[in-house]
Amino acid sequence: MSNVIQIVILGLALGGVYALMASGLTLIFGVMRIVNLAHPVLIIAGAFVTFWLFRLYGIDPILAMPIAAIALFCVGVILYKLIFEKEAASAKYSEMTVLLTFAVAMIFDGLLGWLFTNTQRVTTPSYGTDAIFIGDVFIPTGQLYAGVASLVVIGLLLLFLQYTRFGYAIRATTQNRAAAQLMGVNVGLVSLVTFGIGIGLAGAAGSLVSFIFSFFPAKHWEWIAILMSLVVLGGMGKLGGVIAGSLILSVIAAFVGAYIGSTWSTMTFFLALFVILLVRPQGLFGDKIEEA
């Protein structure tokens, strides 16, 4: 029983981090229908921001989250103005963004590799190797703090979306872009800021990634399918769905890793993506797909 409890705790802690990693991706898709394949490499960029803040100035990775988020928010705003704003009204916008964001991922991959090489790095805060023991159960403090910090950030995001005027505009645009525009919502501004927020969330997630995983520029290719599986399982554009999907799949992956083998735990996400697309393409919380 203690083994089961420990596996569940570890899965939930890691699931919180995955939820933060995927929340910006699903928020951007919900508002603008942008399938952002560059999201994982921007998480890596946030991890590098945090790594150098820790290395040069001794700033704790969790305290560095706002700095990384603001830096990546600015990157997101610039990317949207330069690349995604012009064709936002196109009927084939989603299809176009797959190629555009793939190109952005390649550019950032090359840029980060040129600046920092593909050497694996990790930040080493004091709590990174500690653990809390409760009877026979131990909880790595690094994963625990990362999971809690992720849920706090997601909670603040949900409060922002639920109780602020701009949050209303984002939710209205997510539900029906055309209707929101008719009701006076500046969907252009909403899209710009939401894209910035989504990339800012990637930066915040990168701060946590920097000490719970080792990272290097090309590692983002390992995360694309994982993050897409979380977004698809929860329902494309459904923030609550991606949180639930992240927690569920992370716990399942933890059991698979413990009882079958760690090399198979990642396969959990790939298999879930395959099954959910076959059985329920709209995801657990997504709207039913209407036939053309």
Side-chain angles (χ1 to χ4, degrees), residues 1-291:
M1 180 59 69
S2 62
N3 287 338
V4 171
I5 294 172
Q6 180 158 339
I7 291 169
V8 170
I9 291 174
L10 294 176
L12 290 175
L14 194 56
V17 178
Y18 279 137
L20 182 59
M21 292 171 69
S23 61
L25 181 61
T26 199
L27 182 67
I28 288 171
F29 180 83
V31 173
M32 291 157 286
R33 296 298 185 264
I34 292 176
V35 182
N36 187 14
L37 299 183
H39 199 79
V41 78
L42 294 170
I43 293 175
I44 296 291
F48 272 109
V49 170
T50 302
F51 174 83
W52 289 110
L53 288 173
F54 179 81
R55 181 82 174 269
L56 299 176
Y57 306 107
I59 300 176
D60 184 274
I62 293 178
L63 298 180
M65 289 177 71
I67 302 174
I70 292 171
L72 269 294
F73 174 88
C74 295
V75 171
V77 168
I78 293 170
L79 284 176
Y80 186 79
K81 295 294 289 185
L82 290 178
I83 300 174
F84 300 105
E85 185 176 48
K86 294 180 181 179
E87 301 296 331
S90 172
K92 295 187 178 295
Y93 189 55
S94 290
E95 293 88 338
M96 292 169 57
T97 61
V98 174
L99 297 176
L100 287 172
T101 56
F102 181 79
V104 171
M106 294 290 290
I107 292 170
F108 271 85
D109 186 337
L111 180 62
L112 292 174
W114 175 66
L115 290 173
F116 307 118
T117 74
N118 268 310
T119 302
Q120 295 199 45
R121 290 179 169 86
V122 64
T123 53
T124 54
S126 58
Y127 49 80
T129 56
D130 292 339
I132 299 172
F133 288 86
I134 305 174
D136 295 330
V137 176
F138 77 92
I139 309 171
T141 52
Q143 287 192 26
L144 176 63
Y145 292 171
V148 171
S150 297
L151 295 178
V152 168
V153 172
I154 292 172
L156 292 174
L157 175 63
L158 291 173
L159 290 174
F160 169 75
L161 294 175
Q162 189 69 32
Y163 296 109
T164 66
R165 187 176 182 85
F166 203 86
Y168 297 154
I170 291 175
R171 289 191 288 122
T173 307
T174 301
Q175 292 172 6
N176 192 315
R177 186 181 183 90
Q181 191 166 17
L182 289 174
M183 295 300 294
V185 175
N186 186 342
V187 295
L189 178 62
V190 168
S191 298
L192 174 66
V193 174
T194 302
F195 193 85
I197 291 173
I199 303 305
L201 290 170
S207 295
L208 303 178
V209 164
S210 73
F211 66 88
I212 61 173
F213 300 108
S214 62
F215 64 93
F216 53 95
K219 189 177 178 67
H220 69 101
W221 298 118
E222 301 176 18
W223 286 340
I224 290 177
I226 291 176
L227 297 185
M228 288 305 299
S229 68
L230 299 176
V231 172
V232 171
L233 177 65
M236 295 291 283
K238 303 295 182 181
L239 187 57
V242 82
I243 297 170
S246 299
L247 296 176
I248 291 170
L249 280 186
S250 294
V251 171
I252 294 173
F255 276 103
V256 171
Y259 291 107
I260 300 177
S262 58
T263 56
W264 288 95
S265 61
T266 305
M267 286 295 297
T268 305
F269 298 95
F270 303 150
L271 182 61
L273 178 61
F274 177 73
V275 172
I276 199 70
L277 288 174
L278 285 178
V279 177
R280 189 177 169 84
Q282 71 269 34
L284 297 178
F285 301 93
D287 300 323
K288 186 175 181 181
I289 299 175
E290 297 182 1
E291 296 183 1

